[in-house]
Amino acid sequence: MGYSIHMETKDKFVLAPLAGYTDKAMREISLCMGADIAVTEMVSAEGLARDSEKTKELLERARGEERLVVQLFGPDKDPFSRCIPNLLKYNPTWIDVNCGCPVPKVVKTGAGSALMKDKKKIREIVQTLVSETKLPVSVKFRLGWDADSINYLEFAEEALKGGAFALTLHARTRSQGYEGKADRNAFLNLSKEFGKDAVLYASGDIYTPIDAKECIEKYGMDGVMFARGAIGNPFIFKETKSFFEKGQYTAPSVSDRIQTAIIHYRKMKEYYGEDIAGREMRKHAMAYIKGIHGASKCKKALTGAFTEEDYIEAFSLLEGISE
């Protein structure tokens, strides 16, 4: 087809970009647990162009993060072009363009999944980034705006015409948000149409190694992006690699979860200070103990946790509990 050279990738199991979650601490832990590469939180192309302090924080590398994938969002090629000088200061490995965020405050600006309403814009954005940075560019998108405007194949074609090397499909529409089930048959359609032209990643409802294996072996994708499935569960990367290599994997024990959660807090505190770590860790902590039978007292204690001692004390209420 002549859109792009198909690139074999070693980056099969990826930590997806998650606003409010995939900060330096989560990326560092995920990489230590076996993620091949991790993507930053969404970065505003306009904010980056204006050199805002908040935006710069999102682009800082985690300890040991040799390769950096930056996800940018914006409504058209203009802010993407203007942000490039500042972007290149961080020496990114590749750039990902967000065309999937369904959040109203992003969509109303014409960014995120709103870009799927005008698919020619993505070709212009990708062309701009490829020509002006000489870096690999990928695109993350959805099935379409709603059930009456499913256009992911046409959208993917425009992205590839612009020079994208990889495509990530979240197999829901924008109107679904994160509700309902991801349509895995769409992965198969994407693979049949563009499997020889791009690296293809599956996203949406990928919570287990079994899900990952099915997306790759049954539906023809090259890799998967773990999003919500990695929150409180960085073990998913190690488990998935074990499942692909050995056909089996071992779930983490309660003790494993507690110890990793405490390490997670310490990394957040080191990066951001106790004030931010104390508040932001609660959502991660709740995820680390999700599904543990008899964890109600721990959950209650976590709602008021702030210091490292608070978290350790709350987690101690799980001692003796097993799944």
Side-chain angles (χ1 to χ4, degrees):
M1 290 184 179
Y3 301 133
S4 65
I5 297 172
H6 180 61
M7 296 173 61
E8 292 299 327
T9 179
K10 62 181 178 180
D11 301 316
K12 185 173 286 188
F13 307 119
V14 181
L15 175 64
L18 285 164
Y21 283 94
T22 55
D23 59 9
K24 289 181 289 186
M26 185 170 175
R27 297 202 308 274
E28 183 180 342
I29 288 174
S30 296
L31 291 166
C32 288
M33 287 284 184
D36 292 322
I37 202 163
V39 188
T40 66
E41 299 177 65
M42 283 196 315
V43 174
S44 165
E46 184 62 44
L48 182 55
R50 294 173 183 269
D51 207 26
S52 81
E53 290 301 317
K54 185 175 181 181
T55 298
K56 288 192 284 188
E57 289 177 7
L58 296 175
L59 289 164
E60 293 174 356
R61 292 176 188 246
R63 187 185 297 100
E65 190 171 24
E66 296 179 359
R67 299 183 302 139
L68 183 70
V69 183
V70 176
Q71 189 186 68
L72 298 174
F73 72 95
D76 53 50
K77 67 179 182 179
D78 177 61
F80 286 91
S81 180
R82 288 187 288 107
C83 81
I84 287 171
N86 286 332
L87 173 66
L88 293 179
K89 294 175 185 177
Y90 295 89
N91 192 29
T93 304
W94 93 57
I95 303 164
D96 185 62
V97 181
N98 183 301
C99 303
C101 180
V103 176
K105 69 178 182 180
V106 172
V107 170
K108 73 180 181 181
T109 69
S113 54
L115 285 170
M116 299 202 70
K117 290 182 172 183
D118 185 354
K119 60 183 184 291
K120 288 187 178 180
K121 281 187 177 181
I122 191 57
R123 186 202 299 197
E124 295 174 348
I125 290 169
V126 174
Q127 281 178 333
T128 297
L129 290 171
V130 170
S131 65
E132 296 184 23
T133 70
K134 311 304 181 186
L135 290 171
V137 175
S138 59
V139 178
K140 192 169 190 285
F141 56 105
R142 288 185 172 240
L143 296 177
W145 180 256
D146 56 29
D148 295 322
S149 56
I150 303 296
N151 65 341
Y152 65 98
L153 292 178
E154 296 93 333
F155 193 83
E157 184 173 23
E158 291 298 319
L160 292 176
K161 285 179 178 178
F165 90 97
L167 304 170
T168 301
L169 175 62
H170 182 134
R172 288 184 174 87
T173 63
R174 184 269 169 179
S175 62
Q176 282 181 281
Y178 299 98
E179 301 298 322
K181 294 184 69 175
D183 179 11
R184 289 189 180 172
N185 287 322
F187 297 146
L188 188 59
N189 294 337
L190 190 71
S191 176
K192 287 180 178 178
E193 193 73 22
F194 302 114
K196 294 181 180 180
D197 303 296
V199 177
L200 304 178
Y201 290 104
S203 178
D205 291 348
I206 304 174
Y207 293 105
T208 69
I210 296 169
D211 292 330
K213 196 174 182 70
E214 184 174 87
C215 288
I216 291 171
E217 296 188 354
K218 181 177 179 180
Y219 293 100
M221 303 300 275
D222 295 300
V224 297
M225 282 201 180
F226 289 104
R228 288 179 294 168
I231 298 174
N233 186 30
F235 318 98
I236 190 71
F237 298 102
K238 181 168 60 176
E239 291 172 0
T240 301
K241 287 186 172 180
S242 175
F243 191 55
F244 271 75
E245 293 168 7
K246 304 174 183 177
Q248 59 185 17
Y249 65 95
T250 303
S253 65
V254 172
S255 178
D256 290 334
R257 295 203 213 181
I258 293 171
Q259 292 305 313
T260 304
I262 292 170
I263 291 169
H264 196 147
Y265 175 89
R266 288 172 179 163
K267 290 187 184 299
M268 290 189 76
K269 182 178 177 181
E270 182 180 347
Y271 283 130
Y272 308 112
E274 186 175 73
D275 283 351
I276 292 176
R279 295 191 304 271
E280 293 297 313
M281 184 60 199
R282 290 175 197 148
K283 60 191 177 187
H284 292 283
M286 291 294 187
Y288 273 105
I289 68 169
K290 185 178 180 180
I292 297 177
H293 181 69
S296 57
K297 289 183 179 179
C298 178
K299 290 178 182 178
K300 186 175 181 180
L302 286 172
T303 60
F306 189 81
T307 66
E308 181 175 334
E309 291 72 23
D310 292 339
Y311 281 98
I312 290 174
E313 184 176 348
F315 288 131
S316 73
L317 299 172
L318 295 175
E319 290 180 1
I321 292 179
S322 59
E323 286 98 334

